[in-house]
Amino acid sequence: MAENKFDLTIIGTGPGGYVCAIRASQLGMKVAVVEKRGTHGGTCLNVGCIPSKALLHASELFDEANHGFESFGIKVSPELDLPTMMKHKTDTVKGNVTGIDYLFKKNKITSFLGTGKISGAGKVVVTDEKGAETEIESKSIVIATGSDVAGIPGVDIDEKMVLSSTGALDLKKVPKKMVVVGAGVIGLELGSVWRRLGTEVTVVEYLDRILPGMDDEIAKNFQRILKKQGIEFKLASKVTGVEKAGNGAEVTIEPAKGGDSETIKTDVVLAAIGRTPYTEGLGLEDVGVKKDNRGRITVNEQYETSVKGIYAIGDVIEGPMLAHKAEEEGVALAEMISGQAGHVNYNIIPSVVYTYPEIAAVGKTEEQLKEEGTAYVTGKFPFTANGRAKANRQTDGFVKVLADKTTDRVLGVHIVGPMAGEMIGEAAVLMEFGGSAEDLARTCHAHPTLTEAIKEAALDAGKRVIHM
Ligand code: NAI
C-alpha cells in the first residue's frame, strides 16, 4: 500500500479512537489516526478524567491531613503548595499521553497531527498547524471526535471568571468562593476538589435532585454527606446570568419554575451543565453524514453512519458520555470491520463519581425497575457495620443490591462509599455472567475488606444478612 493509504483512519484519539486504533492494528489492519490537539488521549487524558483524578486524590489527602489525621493520633499542620499539586497533575497527564505515543509506535499506527476533514467517502484531509494539507485514502473512516463543554446560554466561558472543567483544573490560586452550575459528575467532582482546598462552594442545580440518572436513594444520601462536608446546594434553581462585579462575579439565580430571582457574589463560576457532541469542521454535511436533533451522529448497530464506510463511536453518538463506553465501542467496531462479532453490552456499563465517598453504579436503578414494572427485591448494607470501614474511619454510605424477585438475577448494584469505583467491578463481572444475588452472597469475600458490604447486601436481598 502507498504511504498515505490505510485500511482504517480514525479521527480523534480519545479513549474511543486510540483503543479502536490499537485493536484494529492487532487484527492486521493498516491504521492511521488524526488528532488536532497536539497530544493523544482526548479530553479524558488531557483535560478530563486523568487530571481531575490527580487533583481529587491530592486534595483528598490534604483534606484528610487537615481533618482526619488527628483522630488516628497523627498531629500535623498541613500547608497547601498549589503549584506542586498542579505539577503532580501535569506530570500525571504527561505520563499518560506519552504512554499513548508508545502504544501507537508499538502497534505501528501512523499518527497525523492536525485537523481532519472528511472530503468524501474514503478520503480525509489533514491540515496541520501551519496550514499544510495531507490527503489520506482509507477504506474505512471512524469519527471519534468526542464532545465539548455545553455553555450556559448568554454566559461567556472565559476560563478566568467563568470556567469550564478545563479552567477549573488549572486555577493558579484557591478561590474564596465558587458557584458550580450543575450538580452532575463534573460539578460534584471539581466542586469537591476546591472545597477541600478551602473554597466555599455553592452548587446550583436545575432539577430538584443531584446526579440525575443515578439511583434516587443513593443521590439523596450522597447529598447529605456532601452537605456535611460543607458544600451548599440550591436545587430546583437555574442560573440566568453572570455579570462581572469587582474582581469576581454576580450570579443571578431563579427558581426553575419561575419566580423572584436572587444574586450570589462569587469569585469564579464553574459551568458544568453537560457536554455536547463535537463534530465541527469534519465536513459531515458535505458528505451526507446525518445527525439527530441533539447533534449526535446517527449510527446503525455496526456503528456505521448514513454514509457507507464512515463510522462513529464514543461521545459523538448516542449513550452515556463515558470513556469506558467509548473504549468498548472502539474495540467492537474494529472487530466488526475485520469480520468478527464485536458487541457492547449497554446494560452493564458502570458509572463512577470520584468524590469522597465515591458513587458507583451498574445496571438498573430502583426507579427504572419500577417504571418498567419489574418485580425486584432489595438488599442493603451500611458501611457503619463493616469492620474494615470502621477501622479506616470511612463509614459513610451503603451498598444496595437489586435482584429479580422471581429469578434472583442481579439487575443493579449501587454503592455510595469508600473505594466504590474499585468495588463495582465485581458486580459488573457477576452481571455479565447473569449471576444471582445468591451467587454473590455465597462467594467467599476476604475479611476484613470493604467488599464484604457487597456480599452482605446480597445476603440481605435473601433476608439472611449476618452482620446487622
Ligand atoms: P451532567 O450531565 O452529568 O450534569 C449536568 C447537570 O447540570 C444536570 O444535573 C443538569 O440537570 C444540570 N443543569 C443543566 N442545565 C442547568 C442550568 N441551566 N442550571 C442549573 N443546572 C443545570 O454533566 P457534566 O457534569 O457537565 O458532565 C458532562 C459529561 O461528562 C457527562 O456525560 C458525564 O457523565 C461525563 N463525565 C463523567 C465523569 C465520570 O465518569 N466520573 C467525570 C466527568 C464527566
Side-chain angles (χ1 to χ4, degrees):
M1 246 185 238
E3 213 181 319
N4 285 345
K5 280 192 174 168
F6 296 90
D7 295 313
L8 187 68
T9 297
I10 299 161
I11 308 177
T13 57
Y18 86 72
V19 169
C20 182
I22 293 170
R23 185 70 189 117
S25 169
Q26 285 175 345
L27 292 165
M29 285 183 243
K30 189 183 177 204
V31 181
V33 291
V34 182
E35 173 55 57
K36 75 173 186 181
R37 190 185 292 272
T39 51
H40 297 298
T43 298
C44 175
L45 271 67
N46 289 281
V47 288
C49 323
I50 296 300
S52 63
K53 264 77 263 176
L55 290 187
L56 276 157
H57 181 69
S59 62
E60 193 176 323
L61 292 178
F62 180 67
D63 201 34
E64 187 77 8
N66 260 320
H67 305 291
F69 278 12
E70 214 162 324
S71 55
F72 289 107
I74 307 164
K75 287 193 175 167
V76 288
S77 307
E79 193 187 323
L80 179 65
D81 172 2
L82 190 61
T84 303
M85 196 179 277
M86 288 295 175
K87 183 178 177 302
H88 156 64
K89 176 209 69 177
T90 311
D91 290 347
T92 306
V93 169
K94 206 166 162 199
N96 278 272
V97 299
T98 50
I100 309 291
D101 293 336
Y102 159 77
L103 291 172
F104 281 168
K105 244 189 215 131
K106 182 183 164 208
N107 288 283
K108 299 188 174 45
I109 292 161
T110 307
S111 165
F112 293 90
L113 290 182
T115 304
K117 182 176 178 188
I118 304 171
S119 54
K123 282 203 169 68
V124 175
V125 175
V126 184
T127 309
D128 73 12
E129 259 182 355
K130 291 181 183 136
E133 290 186 352
T134 310
E135 191 172 81
I136 299 173
E137 276 182 48
S138 190
K139 286 185 199 154
S140 305
I141 297 168
V142 179
I143 302 165
T145 44
S147 58
D148 199 5
V149 180
I152 306 169
V155 178
D156 179 38
I157 296 180
D158 61 2
E159 301 296 10
K160 289 190 177 81
M161 185 178 80
V162 183
L163 314 166
S164 71
S165 49
T166 307
L169 286 166
D170 211 22
L171 291 173
K172 303 290 177 262
K173 62 174 200 204
V174 180
K176 210 168 156 328
K177 289 186 181 180
M178 173 183 277
V179 169
V180 174
V181 191
V185 193
I186 293 180
L188 299 185
E189 287 187 358
L190 292 180
S192 288
V193 165
W194 292 105
R195 197 281 304 158
R196 293 165 186 169
L197 300 182
T199 304
E200 285 170 40
V201 175
T202 304
V203 178
V204 183
E205 164 60 47
Y206 186 80
L207 302 173
D208 60 1
R209 56 162 295 167
I210 67 166
L211 292 176
M214 283 279 181
D215 189 274
D216 204 22
E217 189 183 8
I218 294 276
K220 280 205 177 90
N221 185 286
F222 182 49
Q223 193 192 337
R224 276 198 294 274
I225 297 171
L226 288 179
K227 253 184 129 163
K228 264 199 295 180
Q229 293 176 3
I231 294 185
E232 291 290 325
F233 287 93
K234 282 191 180 292
L235 301 185
S237 306
K238 64 179 175 207
V239 167
T240 53
V242 178
E243 295 293 330
K244 203 171 162 43
N247 286 334
E250 219 166 55
V251 183
T252 309
I253 299 167
E254 256 179 37
K257 288 183 184 149
D260 293 342
S261 63
E262 60 168 316
T263 55
I264 313 181
K265 285 211 167 79
T266 183
D267 297 307
V268 289
V269 177
L270 166 61
I273 62 163
R275 299 182 60 87
T276 50
Y278 186 75
T279 55
E280 225 178 270
L282 282 170
L284 300 190
E285 292 74 18
D286 297 339
V287 281
V289 169
K290 293 207 172 80
K291 294 192 257 181
D292 67 14
N293 58 0
R294 290 168 63 181
R296 301 175 298 197
I297 295 174
T298 50
V299 291
N300 64 16
E301 284 190 351
Q302 282 73 45
Y303 304 106
E304 196 164 29
T305 68
S306 47
V307 178
K308 206 171 155 30
I310 303 180
Y311 303 83
I313 55 170
D315 286 7
V316 279
I317 67 167
E318 196 185 342
M321 287 182 169
L322 296 172
H324 43 283
K325 174 257 194 190
E327 286 183 37
E328 294 303 320
E329 289 175 345
V331 169
L333 174 57
E335 291 176 350
M336 286 190 281
I337 291 176
S338 73
Q340 296 187 0
H343 176 68
V344 178
N345 184 353
Y346 287 98
N347 293 318
I348 306 178
I349 294 184
S351 61
V352 179
V353 188
Y354 296 86
T355 41
Y356 183 81
E358 290 182 350
I359 310 289
V362 63
K364 300 270 167 74
T365 63
E366 277 207 73
E367 293 72 47
Q368 284 171 324
L369 293 175
K370 278 183 193 139
E371 200 179 308
E372 64 188 37
T374 304
Y376 64 96
V377 290
T378 308
K380 281 191 228 170
F381 194 79
F383 285 103
T384 44
N386 174 276
R388 184 67 186 279
K390 276 195 213 165
N392 293 358
R393 298 182 71 97
Q394 295 183 317
T395 51
D396 277 334
F398 66 101
V399 178
K400 174 153 90 173
V401 170
L402 304 169
D404 188 288
K405 194 170 184 183
T406 318
T407 64
D408 196 39
R409 188 177 176 148
V410 173
L411 303 173
V413 175
H414 304 269
I415 309 171
V416 50
M419 307 295 282
E422 301 297 326
M423 288 197 281
I424 202 67
E426 79 163 285
V429 172
L430 177 98
M431 288 169 70
E432 272 293 350
F433 284 88
S436 64
E438 186 173 353
D439 290 329
L440 198 47
R442 287 195 185 276
T443 302
C444 183
H445 285 65
H447 175 74
T449 60
L450 299 169
T451 62
E452 286 172 290
I454 299 184
K455 175 192 167 109
E456 292 273 5
L459 279 166
D460 187 48
K463 298 204 176 353
R464 51 202 188 89
V465 64
I466 302 283
H467 290 93
M468 277 280 285

